[in-house]
Amino acid sequence: MIWYALLIAAVAVERLAELVVSQRNLSWSRARGGVEFGAGHYPAMVALHSALLVGCLVEAFYRPFLPALGWPMLAAVLAAQGLRWWCIATLGRQWNTRVVVIPDAARVARGPYRFFSHPNYVAVVVEGIALPLVHTAWVTAVVFTVLNALVLRTRIGVENSALAGLRR
C-alpha cells in the first residue's frame, strides 16, 4: 500500500507541476490577447481530478493489489503520462489547463495532434481508469470515468467551438 500511496503522491506532484506550467503559459497567452472560453466548468474539472487521487487512496485501504491487473494498469498510467507530456511539449506556450485561444494563432497539427484533435483527453481517460485499477480501486475508476465523461462532453464542446476560428 505504501508504494501505491507514493505513486498517488507522485501523480499529485506532477499535477502541481502542470499547474505551474499552465499558469505561466496562461499569463503568456493573455499578454498576447488570449481569450478564455468555458471557465464555468473548470472548477468541476479540478474537483473531479482531485477526488480521483483521494478516491484511489481511500479505496486502496479496502482492496488488494492484484499483480495481473496492477502491473498492466501501471504501464497504462505511465503511457498516459508520456502522452500527456507529449501534448504539453507539442503545444508549448499555448498549452494550459484552461481553454484559452490567442486570436489569429494557427491551430497545432503536429505531434499527437496529427492523429486526433484531443490527445490529452485520451491520456486523461486512460489514467482515470488505470490509476485506480493499479490497486483494484474499481469503484473510483467507474465513478471517475462516468463523471469525467460528463465533464469532457462539456469541455470538448467548448474547446471545439473555441478552436473553430483558428487557421489550420
Side-chain angles (χ1 to χ4, degrees):
M1 170 62 186
I2 290 175
W3 69 268
Y4 186 63
L6 291 173
L7 173 64
I8 300 302
V11 171
V13 167
E14 190 271 337
R15 287 296 173 279
L16 293 174
E18 282 182 14
L19 290 175
V20 168
V21 171
S22 176
Q23 188 57 47
R24 184 180 61 224
N25 291 347
L26 179 61
S27 296
W28 180 88
S29 294
R30 286 187 173 151
R32 282 149 186 79
V35 178
E36 183 172 358
F37 295 84
H41 71 272
Y42 188 74
M45 190 173 74
V46 171
L48 181 61
H49 283 255
S50 299
L52 170 67
L53 301 180
V54 172
C56 286
L57 287 176
V58 169
E59 194 174 355
F61 279 109
Y62 305 99
R63 307 274 183 231
F65 174 73
L66 302 176
L69 177 63
W71 293 123
M73 291 299 104
L74 179 61
V77 167
L78 296 175
Q81 294 304 319
L83 177 57
R84 179 187 324 282
W85 282 97
W86 187 19
C87 293
I88 292 169
T90 299
L91 290 176
R93 293 186 130 181
Q94 291 182 9
W95 178 86
N96 65 68
T97 58
R98 297 178 177 268
V99 180
V100 178
V101 175
I102 300 170
D104 299 322
R107 188 163 180 171
V108 174
R110 63 186 185 284
Y113 297 90
R114 289 178 294 187
F115 308 112
F116 41 98
S117 298
H118 302 287
N120 189 62
Y121 302 136
V122 172
V124 169
V125 169
V126 169
E127 182 185 67
I129 295 167
L131 185 61
L133 291 180
V134 168
H135 210 287
T136 325
W138 63 269
V139 173
T140 300
V142 169
V143 170
F144 177 83
T145 299
V146 169
L147 295 176
N148 189 50
L150 298 173
V151 170
L152 282 181
R153 183 179 66 185
T154 299
R155 174 74 172 210
I156 289 172
V158 166
E159 223 172 87
N160 285 341
S161 295
L163 295 174
L166 294 181
R167 56 190 160 83
R168 293 207 177 247

